[in-house]
Amino acid sequence: ETGVTQTPRHLVMGMTNKKSLKCEQHLGHNAMYWYKQSAKKPLELMFVYNFKEQTENNSVPSRFSPECPNSSHLFLHLHTLQPEDSALYLCASSQVYTYSNQPQHFGDGTRLSIL
Amino acid sequence: GESVGLHLPTLSVQEGDNSIINCAYSNSASDYFIWYKQESGKGPQFIIDIRSNMDKRQGQRVTVLLNKTVKHLSLQIAATQPGDSAVYFCAQTGANNLFFGTGTRLTVIP
């Protein structure tokens, strides 16, 4: 039990579909993150939310649309994805948005496959 | 740009032996470093962290060593067990980001 829960665990979708990934954290944290993990590559930061406000968008294509309704929930809305978007999408949280003195805690990810 | 890398992509150790996993980094201004463990089908799990004002920190069966002179970070696992088999990667802080390495796959041989 990591304290960060992601659903679904696996998702297969066509390029024209619309789907959403969900993340919920039970740690009382105020910052939440979306990462993309591809084989043989380091984790790529996509979005950061701090106290429900988006603080970073790491040049992510507009076919990925994040939503953070409150500090405990984070969504990633997907539409018109490309085959190269197939990856493991990880959600993380930390007490506040800072990289300098606290670790981020990760969920187990959603394995996304684009047909 | 900044980079974080590991010296070996794979490491095999005998059960009961000690494991040492290494990581090199490029940004001498980084002040915080983290080791994560990622088992198959799971997300990264926090193991241990260290700030730049320290050169050693110990946890339960794990020790992290930081050598700022040569910009090198290592994770030592004592008495390695089958449950330690996973991918281990380090992360360091940058100006406004956390940079992750690509990982070392540790295989424990029974």
Side-chain angles (χ1 to χ4, degrees):
Chain A
E1 178 59 49
T2 67
V4 180
T5 303
Q6 291 187 243
T7 55
R9 292 297 315 278
H10 302 273
L11 179 61
V12 179
M13 55 187 287
M15 289 192 285
T16 58
N17 292 157
K18 289 185 180 181
K19 295 286 184 183
S20 297
L21 310 185
K22 179 183 176 182
C23 176
E24 181 176 2
Q25 57 95 2
H26 312 276
L27 300 169
H29 290 167
N30 296 298
M32 296 187 78
Y33 311 77
W34 279 117
Y35 285 90
K36 176 182 180 182
Q37 187 176 38
S38 304
K40 310 292 185 188
K41 288 186 176 181
L43 288 177
E44 299 173 48
L45 178 66
M46 300 174 72
F47 300 105
V48 181
Y49 278 82
N50 193 40
F51 291 94
K52 302 189 298 179
E53 299 296 320
Q54 184 174 321
T55 55
E56 280 193 44
N57 175 341
N58 246 19
S59 303
V60 180
S62 59
R63 57 185 184 270
F64 294 92
S65 174
E67 178 190 0
C68 189
N70 55 61
S71 293
S72 298
H73 293 86
L74 186 65
F75 295 89
L76 188 62
H77 304 299
L78 316 171
H79 64 98
T80 324
L81 294 194
Q82 304 299 308
E84 61 266 26
D85 297 324
S86 297
L88 182 68
Y89 288 85
L90 291 161
C91 173
S93 70
S94 62
Q95 186 61 47
V96 291
Y97 172 46
T98 174
Y99 295 108
S100 62
N101 61 6
Q102 56 188 266
Q104 295 172 18
H105 296 267
F106 288 83
D108 286 333
T110 294
R111 173 68 62 187
L112 177 65
S113 298
I114 306 300
L115 301 179
Chain B
E2 302 192 40
S3 68
V4 183
L6 285 91
H7 291 177
L8 291 173
T10 61
L11 177 66
S12 296
V13 298
Q14 206 71 37
E15 181 179 356
D17 287 352
N18 296 334
S19 303
I20 300 176
I21 301 171
N22 297 301
C23 186
Y25 62 94
S26 63
N27 186 356
S28 56
S30 291
D31 61 1
Y32 181 58
F33 303 84
I34 311 169
W35 278 102
Y36 285 94
K37 171 187 181 183
Q38 188 171 19
E39 297 176 85
S40 181
K42 294 192 175 182
Q45 176 188 355
F46 168 76
I47 303 173
I48 193 168
D49 56 3
I50 188 168
R51 297 184 60 80
S52 59
N53 59 354
M54 303 173 69
D55 52 23
K56 179 179 180 179
R57 190 161 185 227
Q58 288 185 288
Q60 188 176 11
R61 279 200 310 118
V62 294
T63 300
V64 56
L65 298 177
L66 176 62
N67 185 330
K68 295 179 286 292
T69 302
V70 295
K71 291 185 281 188
H72 183 269
L73 186 72
S74 68
L75 177 71
Q76 299 178 3
I77 305 173
T80 313
Q81 302 169 0
D84 295 327
S85 291
V87 175
Y88 291 81
F89 52 90
C90 60
Q92 62 160 146
T93 55
N96 291 296
N97 210 333
L98 195 60
F99 291 91
F100 293 85
T102 51
T104 290
R105 180 172 296 280
L106 175 66
T107 302
V108 181
I109 304 166

